[in-house]
Amino acid sequence: MGNDPVNESAESLKKRFAGVLDSDQIETRPDGFPQLDHHEPALVLLPKTDEQLSETLRCANASKTPIIPTGLGTALRLGNLPTAPGAFLSTRLMNKIVDYEPRDLTVIAQAGLPIETLQKTADEENQRLALDPPNAGSLGGLVAMDAGGPLRDAYGSTRDLCLGVRAALADGTLVKGGGRVVKNAAGYDITRLLVGSFGTLGIVYEAAFRLHPQPEKTAEVSAEFESWSGAFEAAANLARSELEPEWLAVLRLDEESAPTAAVGFGGHSETVEYQTKRAQEIMSKGEPIALETKANSEQARLQMRDRLNGALNDANRMTCRVFAPMSAFADIVQASERLRPSAWQIRCLSGVGYAVFNNPSAETVHALREETAAREGSVVVESAPVAVKREADVWGPPTGPLSVMRRVKLKLDPSRLLNRGRFLKGLDDE
């Protein structure tokens, strides 16, 4: 069994990659990495350059060693259980800003750079990357998951803000596409292909992003209601109005909270002041039990992020991401009450919601999926205990033609080494 990557020892794997990476670039899996399964990888490979990344993948390809790509390890709870773990490959040592042009509102950075570091650098120029996903780790993770947070309502997701990428395919071939670079591989739009591919087609090691100016002023208005219908009606009225919010949400942060509609604005002072007053007027018509306005604040948006982070990192809870039209969410939330979710967050304008369950089970996943599918939506399990993942496919039915996805996968990763088994069911079939 020595050549079986599932059973192969860490020492055997170390010897395999010793000619490619230095000893300090091959680590035993740290305790901080979330549990994937009982036979998860025991080794982390840490290339520092694109050449080392290429050679590491060439070595893995030659020895048929499966690879689980990661950045800082913050989103490893997402995905099905690996069918052949092999080794982690982390880009965390590839963490430099390559080129930053404040006048052009663009930045190029390596995939292992923490999002927080990029945001601090951009803030010095009064700019920001308008992406605020939960469990934010590295820039490469953003690209792999096509991540986005509440600001997605106004600025879009990673797919909209990523201008181009450089990546290594499973056989070590380095490719690039989009942005300031023009070369693509095998006729594919590499950037579009890799954003949201969950590291199954290649490992992004560098990405270019569009930045936005920091708003001159911000404000948030929130209103609590006695029922979900009141909160959704207020949100719908805001969405139909002339206002242009940065984000709009309906939420209940815990079982003790009341259903709440919340909206955030950012921009020039006069514009934000006008929109804040109009939002107060619109929400007041719904007769809320409480109405609160906070000027120069992003407290509500950050609180949403922090609460969601807590749920995603709790091994005993389950978090489901729901995609549906805004008009369907009121019915989905009402129908889900029998499943006893402890919290809901719905980003109304982008059609993304998160449901948190304190008592996770595969039956809950199936029931929520059934209620959502009946309303033209879908469900992805963002995080769940291993026992739930053994009984429920975290991704659900594919939203696109699986046969096409499989052909692309086998073209770019014919040995199916990247994230084997962790993405869509059937993707790794011959």
Side-chain angles (χ1 to χ4, degrees), residues 175-380:
V175 297
K176 51 188 177 180
R180 304 177 193 175
V181 291
V182 296
K183 178 183 176 183
N184 280 288
Y188 295 115
D189 182 340
I190 290 297
T191 303
R192 291 280 180 178
L193 203 59
L194 294 183
V195 174
S197 66
F198 199 59
T200 58
L201 302 179
I203 298 178
V204 171
Y205 64 87
E206 186 176 293
F209 293 94
R210 176 186 299 112
L211 303 179
H212 287 83
Q214 288 280 14
E216 181 180 296
K217 184 175 183 178
T218 61
E220 297 175 333
V221 184
S222 59
E224 296 181 1
F225 294 87
E226 293 182 351
S227 66
W228 282 111
S229 59
F232 276 107
E233 183 178 358
N237 289 336
L238 287 166
R240 288 192 293 263
S241 72
E242 78 282 11
L243 302 181
E244 297 182 353
E246 284 200 317
W247 57 272
L248 173 63
V250 171
L251 56 113
R252 187 186 67 192
L253 293 179
D254 54 52
E255 294 170 302
E256 306 301 321
S257 303
T260 300
V263 62
F265 301 101
H268 296 297
S269 296
E270 292 182 359
T271 302
V272 171
E273 289 175 5
Y274 166 76
Q275 295 200 91
T276 301
K277 290 179 181 179
R278 280 289 293 134
Q280 292 171 334
E281 294 171 1
I282 293 170
M283 287 184 166
S284 295
K285 293 179 180 178
E287 299 183 355
I289 57 178
L291 180 65
E292 184 177 18
T293 300
K294 294 181 179 179
N296 287 318
S297 173
E298 296 186 277
Q299 180 179 334
R301 180 172 66 84
L302 297 177
Q303 185 180 31
M304 289 169 61
R305 181 198 65 188
D306 293 344
R307 290 292 185 91
L308 195 51
N309 284 347
L312 289 168
N313 288 296
D314 189 332
N316 297 314
R317 290 196 282 176
M318 178 173 72
T319 303
C320 295
R321 181 170 37 157
V322 180
F323 302 88
M326 178 178 174
S327 58
F329 263 111
D331 290 339
I332 292 172
V333 170
Q334 296 284 6
S336 74
E337 287 299 283
R338 65 183 176 84
L339 303 175
R340 300 180 62 82
S342 61
W344 264 105
Q345 292 183 28
I346 298 101
R347 299 162 191 165
C348 298
L349 299 181
S350 52
V352 180
Y354 289 85
V356 179
F357 298 89
N358 289 339
N359 298 297
S361 69
E363 290 74 17
T364 297
V365 176
H366 300 321
L368 181 62
R369 213 162 249 159
E370 182 178 344
E371 297 287 359
T372 303
R375 296 163 178 86
E376 301 183 347
S378 60
V379 175
V380 170

Side-chain angles (χ1 to χ4, degrees), residues 17 19-22 25 46-60 89 91 93-94 110 166-175 203-206:
F17 292 97
V20 178
L21 302 173
D22 294 335
Q25 295 174 263
L46 297 159
K48 294 180 180 179
T49 66
D50 54 351
E51 291 86 358
Q52 283 189 340
L53 173 61
S54 175
E55 287 303 314
T56 300
L57 288 172
R58 289 183 192 279
C59 180
L89 194 157
T91 59
L93 299 184
M94 303 175 72
Q110 293 181 315
R166 293 176 182 259
L169 302 183
D171 64 357
T173 300
L174 299 180
V175 297
I203 298 178
V204 171
Y205 64 87
E206 186 176 293

